[in-house]
Amino acid sequence: MRRCRCDHTPAWGALRALYDTQGRDFDLRQAFSADVRRFECFSLQAPHVFADLSKNLINVAVQDQLLELAHQCGVQAHRDAMFRGDVINTTEQRRVMHFLLRYPATGLADAAQGATKNLTKELGQVHATLSVMLTYADMVRHDEGITDIVNIGIGGSDLGPQMAVLALDEFVAQNKRFHFVSSVDGHELSQVLRQVQPESTLFLIASKSFTTLETMTNARSAKAWFEAKGGRDIARHFCALTSNVEAAREFGIGTTFDFWDWVGGRYSMWSAIGLPIAIAIGPERFREMLAGAHAMDEHFRNEPLERNLPVRLALLDVWYRNFHGFGSRSVAPYHSGLRRMQAYLQQLEMESNGKRVDEEGQALPYATSPVIWGEPAANGQHAYFQMLHQGSDVIPVEFIAVKKVSHSLPEHHHKLLANALAQSRALMLGQQDAGGHRHLPGNRPSTFLLLDELTPASLGAIIALQEHRVFVTGSLWGINSFDQWGVELGKVLAKDMEQRLDSGNADGLDASSAGLLKKLRAK
Ligand code: F6P
């Protein structure tokens, strides 16, 4: 498979020239008045997600050249290699196949000829595990004796399930409460343990590796609490979601659901890691979520690049990061159910593409992952939106709005949508006729993603959209988006520090760490 780093393509130089002549001084207001069809030209319908890209700093020439960049980098070949099950995570020698977790069972027959023809064995395993897991989820759902589900996991073993359970609240079983414990900060676990009883609680220990310090510490403390409170039936009250079943058994958990090394942690909410979601919304809805994601997979796999939404978003990301030099992107969901979306996207994007070397280990001469940040935007408007409108940095904003909602306060939703539209318009228009402190420069770019409704299917689709967008930016940047070596050093040093906190030994430490150690140990 031939991949070509973005800066080694002729398109890169052409984009540099375009930026100098048409990019730097591009004005959105002029672009809209010069082209009455700009909205139609720069908007796109993908499965479950409508995207208005017209308020971005691009014209047709830039867009065409960005698409040319994608062709020259070999994005399609790279994408096809992923879907074929090639080892594209080269630093860990792994395949990258989270898409297979949402490939329908009916696909098993056509898979024999189709796109997944060499993956029928894995697809069979996926569906065998999925049906056992969903049967278990349904059993727990109908078990009146279990009132509280406590998911203990961190990173990809926390963020996806937590985000989805909040987002799909409307579909969540009303007879259960869901708790998510991730940090090793004891406040988190003790706060949850204060609210639950051993006889009515199910602990899900979610860890791909089953070695993560935070998760194992919380799991041990939860088990100790359970036993100290007289709990005996570990099989009924503890379940492990892991690809290291042996370690889970050694820990004393016999009820396990496994997944495979080709599922990256931050891509794992579709696997056994999604069990809390399945318990919350039920097997049928969980399958709908998978189907929504699959529809986006097919869109990504089959649509030509110019009509391919993940590709179009990724190209904008590269245009902003590497030509305009924008360092961050603000995610602005106008739906309180999406309040953990930005945390989820932070891991997805920043752990995947926060890299400074290419696949061969060569230092990159350009910037990669932007900082992803945000809050439910109705609140953000009264906090940091000031900076978006008048700050010294230009920060592209990604609005996410939902057309229909389930609550019975239509006036609220009307106002909420009006605010989303108003903010994207205000960012673009600015306030030209006011001077001094009241002047808003405008011309600030935004993308508007619109869902008809927030359902399992549309949530699945928008998450798969983001996964593929991250894939494409990583592909253009020539990096391996599927490893995370940067997080390892901190883990090693934390082990060393734990011993030093016990012993007080500061030998070999820098003066700052030694000084802080001393302060923390002082009586
Ligand atoms: O430390 C980073 C990381 O490895 C993430 O990639 C992962 O999602 C998280 O830790 C949790 O890992 P595990 O599921 O193995 O406990």
Side-chain angles (χ1 to χ4, degrees), residues 44-52 167-168 170-171 296 309 334-335 338 399-407 413 416-417 448-462 465:
L44 198 64
Q45 179 68 58
H48 300 281
V49 186
F50 175 79
D52 172 18
L168 300 175
E170 182 191 336
F171 306 92
M296 191 59 79
L309 188 53
Y334 279 77
H335 191 302
L338 296 177
F399 291 88
I400 305 175
V402 180
K403 195 169 152 189
K404 285 178 252 160
V405 285
S406 60
H407 63 68
H413 195 51
L416 184 71
L417 291 179
F448 206 101
L449 301 180
L450 183 60
L451 308 180
D452 247 2
E453 287 178 85
L454 186 54
T455 59
S458 68
L459 183 73
I462 199 168
L465 166 68

Side-chain angles (χ1 to χ4, degrees), residues 246-279:
E246 212 172 293
R249 297 248 156 84
E250 260 168 47
F251 183 87
I253 301 181
T255 315
T256 58
F257 295 98
D258 65 342
F259 56 105
W260 305 272
D261 73 346
W262 43 262
V263 181
R266 53 194 173 274
Y267 302 88
S268 64
M269 61 178 262
W270 326 96
S271 70
I273 292 294
L275 180 61
I277 313 173
I279 296 173

Side-chain angles (χ1 to χ4, degrees), residues 52-130:
D52 172 18
L53 310 179
S54 64
K55 290 200 196 84
N56 281 294
L57 306 174
I58 44 166
N59 58 19
V60 173
V62 170
Q63 168 129 313
D64 288 350
Q65 200 51 240
L66 285 168
L67 288 164
E68 189 52 36
L69 176 73
H71 282 290
Q72 291 179 11
C73 288
V75 164
Q76 288 134 302
H78 193 206
R79 172 196 66 191
D80 296 345
M82 173 175 77
F83 281 111
R84 220 173 24 239
D86 289 4
V87 176
I88 61 164
N89 175 355
T90 47
T91 61
E92 295 178 315
Q93 284 306 305
R94 285 180 183 165
R95 300 178 290 173
V96 173
M97 303 204 298
H98 43 277
F99 63 88
L100 206 64
L101 300 167
R102 50 234 189 183
Y103 203 93
T106 48
L108 266 173
D110 27 282
Q113 297 101 43
T116 53
K117 65 171 173 281
N118 47 347
L119 302 176
T120 41
K121 188 180 102 219
E122 289 84 346
L123 189 56
Q125 290 168 344
V126 163
H127 281 283
T129 309
L130 178 65

Side-chain angles (χ1 to χ4, degrees), residues 93-227:
Q93 284 306 305
R94 285 180 183 165
R95 300 178 290 173
V96 173
M97 303 204 298
H98 43 277
F99 63 88
L100 206 64
L101 300 167
R102 50 234 189 183
Y103 203 93
T106 48
L108 266 173
D110 27 282
Q113 297 101 43
T116 53
K117 65 171 173 281
N118 47 347
L119 302 176
T120 41
K121 188 180 102 219
E122 289 84 346
L123 189 56
Q125 290 168 344
V126 163
H127 281 283
T129 309
L130 178 65
S131 48
V132 180
M133 172 185 123
L134 292 183
T135 305
Y136 177 80
D138 208 32
M139 185 194 84
V140 174
R141 242 172 107 73
H142 291 104
D143 185 339
E144 295 292 333
I146 298 291
T147 56
D148 291 87
I149 315 294
V150 180
N151 190 76
I152 294 181
I154 197 164
S157 301
D158 163 62
L159 291 165
Q162 189 181 161
M163 177 272 297
V165 169
L166 286 170
L168 300 175
D169 180 56
E170 182 191 336
F171 306 92
V172 170
Q174 293 306 306
N175 61 345
K176 307 266 182 270
R177 294 185 299 173
F178 291 82
H179 312 266
F180 291 86
V181 175
S182 53
S183 171
V184 75
D185 178 346
H187 292 103
E188 271 194 25
L189 181 64
S190 35
Q191 199 187 40
V192 169
L193 294 181
R194 275 204 304 274
Q195 300 171 46
V196 300
Q197 301 303 324
E199 63 279 7
S200 54
T201 300
L202 171 63
F203 291 95
L204 304 177
I205 313 301
S207 175
K208 180 179 172 186
S209 59
F210 225 77
T211 57
T212 303
L213 171 119
E214 291 85 347
T215 303
M216 297 327 297
T217 307
N218 280 322
R220 274 193 298 274
S221 299
K223 195 161 161 244
W225 171 88
F226 177 80
E227 286 167 344

